[in-house]
């Protein structure tokens, strides 16, 4: 079996495994004022303006509550097959992110609990299975 490759390793990592598959950890950051953000950056805190060493990397759980969803039926990029569903998720650790709903997910509605996992989205030239973050209803 070919190894798996993460599409965006700067944004998330596969922490460990359980029965449902790889547990995803998001690569966020925390300011010394307590503000938590995603993704990790050192340019500045949105709350207090501190930057550089005041901001340190931290792992965030890929669990949260759905705030909104929208399905794209026609995309300007012909290489981006539609339909796909964009979801806005309030992570339990604080940040609000916009991400993609898993293709095999049941329909979602605001207020539902959702969680992220690594889903196979295709293969690269080396034959590796490429994994990317997708959210679906929390089991
Ligand atoms: Zn701050």
């Amino acid at each position: 079996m070919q190894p798996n490759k993460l599409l965006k390793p700067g944004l998330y990592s596969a922490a460990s495994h359980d029965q449902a598959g790889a547990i995803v950890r998001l690569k966020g950051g925390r300011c010394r004022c307590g503000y938590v953000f995603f993704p990790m950056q050192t340019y500045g805190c949105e709350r207090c303006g501190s930057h550089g060493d005041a901001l340190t990397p931290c792992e965030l759980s890929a669990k949260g509550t759905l705030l909104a969803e929208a399905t794209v039926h026609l995309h300007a990029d012909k290489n981006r097959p539609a339909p796909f569903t964009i979801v806005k998720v309030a992570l339990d650790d604080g940040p609000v992110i916009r991400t993609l709903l898993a293709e095999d997910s049941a329909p979602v509605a605001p207020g539902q609990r959702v969680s992220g996992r690594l889903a196979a989205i295709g293969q690269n030239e080396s034959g590796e299975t490429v994994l990317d973050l997708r959210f679906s209803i929390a089991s």
Side-chain angles (χ1 to χ4, degrees), residues 55-92:
L55 310 174
T56 53
C58 69
E59 287 196 330
L60 306 177
S61 160
K63 293 183 190 303
T65 302
L66 188 86
L67 296 179
E69 54 89 20
T71 298
V72 175
H73 293 279
L74 188 63
H75 196 273
D77 183 352
K78 297 272 187 276
N79 297 317
R80 191 74 196 273
F84 56 89
T85 300
I86 298 168
V87 290
K88 189 174 176 183
V89 176
L91 296 175
D92 291 347

Side-chain angles (χ1 to χ4, degrees), residues 1 4 12 30 38-39 67 105 109 116 120 124-125 134:
M1 188 179 138
N4 295 329
Y12 49 75
R30 183 185 302 275
F38 174 85
L67 296 179
S105 173
N124 64 14
E125 302 80 15
R134 293 290 186 275

Side-chain angles (χ1 to χ4, degrees), residues 30-35 37 44-51 54-55:
R30 183 185 302 275
C31 177
R32 66 177 161 220
C33 78
Y35 185 76
F37 52 89
C45 172
E46 288 178 43
R47 188 159 77 185
C48 74
S50 295
H51 56 87
L55 310 174

